[in-house]
Amino acid sequence: MLVVALGVGLYLFQPWRLLTVRETNDALLVPAAPTSTSVSTPVSVPVSTSVPVPAETAKEVAAGQWRSLEHATTGKASLIRLPGGGHSVQFAALNTSDGPDLYVYLSPHASGSSEKTFGQGFTSLGKLKGNRGDQVYEIPSGVDVSGIRSVVIWCQRFSAGFAVAPLEQA
């Protein structure tokens, strides 16, 4: 009986995941702001009118730093408007614990809400690609991004939030 209980416990909790790292290095659509505080000297660059300028580029429309819930998490989450009108969410320098059954949710709830509210009324963008690095998730075309107030890393197995970041548009 003890062996069965131990087997079930190992399957559900997967404690070795606390020690594993799954790193993702997606190309960010909008570069994250540099974190260094070094001062650079301005450089004059000649402007040429013969080089065409792209008509439209990806643009960050909302962003926030992760707030830890069940697990310490750092990095930045951004809502990105894509050329052509689509949207995506990107994570720059994400660093959190690995865990079983982690998903990325878009939430209509403010990032300061209680943890349990993030498991309600969400739009799932699928499984978390990795617990470290840069990641990009496409938002399906039918999703109304005006109602998104936060992005959540959610453990479905235990109905628990790992972290939340605000994505309230200005």
Side-chain angles (χ1 to χ4, degrees), residues 90-106:
Q90 73 179 27
F91 303 160
L94 174 68
N95 187 355
T96 192
S97 300
D98 195 7
D101 218 16
L102 297 181
Y103 282 78
V104 176
Y105 287 176
L106 298 177

Side-chain angles (χ1 to χ4, degrees), residues 116-138:
K116 291 299 177 192
T117 62
F118 298 122
Q120 305 165 6
F122 61 85
T123 299
S124 177
L125 298 183
K127 284 195 166 272
L128 183 70
K129 295 177 182 180
N131 63 309
R132 298 217 179 126
D134 298 335
Q135 302 173 30
V136 178
Y137 297 86
E138 183 178 337

Side-chain angles (χ1 to χ4, degrees), residues 98-169:
D98 195 7
D101 218 16
L102 297 181
Y103 282 78
V104 176
Y105 287 176
L106 298 177
S107 176
H109 306 289
S111 63
S113 300
S114 71
E115 178 183 341
K116 291 299 177 192
T117 62
F118 298 122
Q120 305 165 6
F122 61 85
T123 299
S124 177
L125 298 183
K127 284 195 166 272
L128 183 70
K129 295 177 182 180
N131 63 309
R132 298 217 179 126
D134 298 335
Q135 302 173 30
V136 178
Y137 297 86
E138 183 178 337
I139 297 175
S141 60
V143 174
D144 178 11
V145 296
S146 67
I148 297 171
R149 301 198 52 209
S150 60
V151 62
V152 182
I153 298 173
W154 186 261
C155 178
Q156 284 188 350
R157 181 168 296 159
F158 296 106
S159 294
F162 269 44
V164 61
L167 289 180
E168 299 185 38
Q169 300 177 44

Side-chain angles (χ1 to χ4, degrees), residues 74 81 121 159:
T74 59
R81 183 174 39 245
S159 294

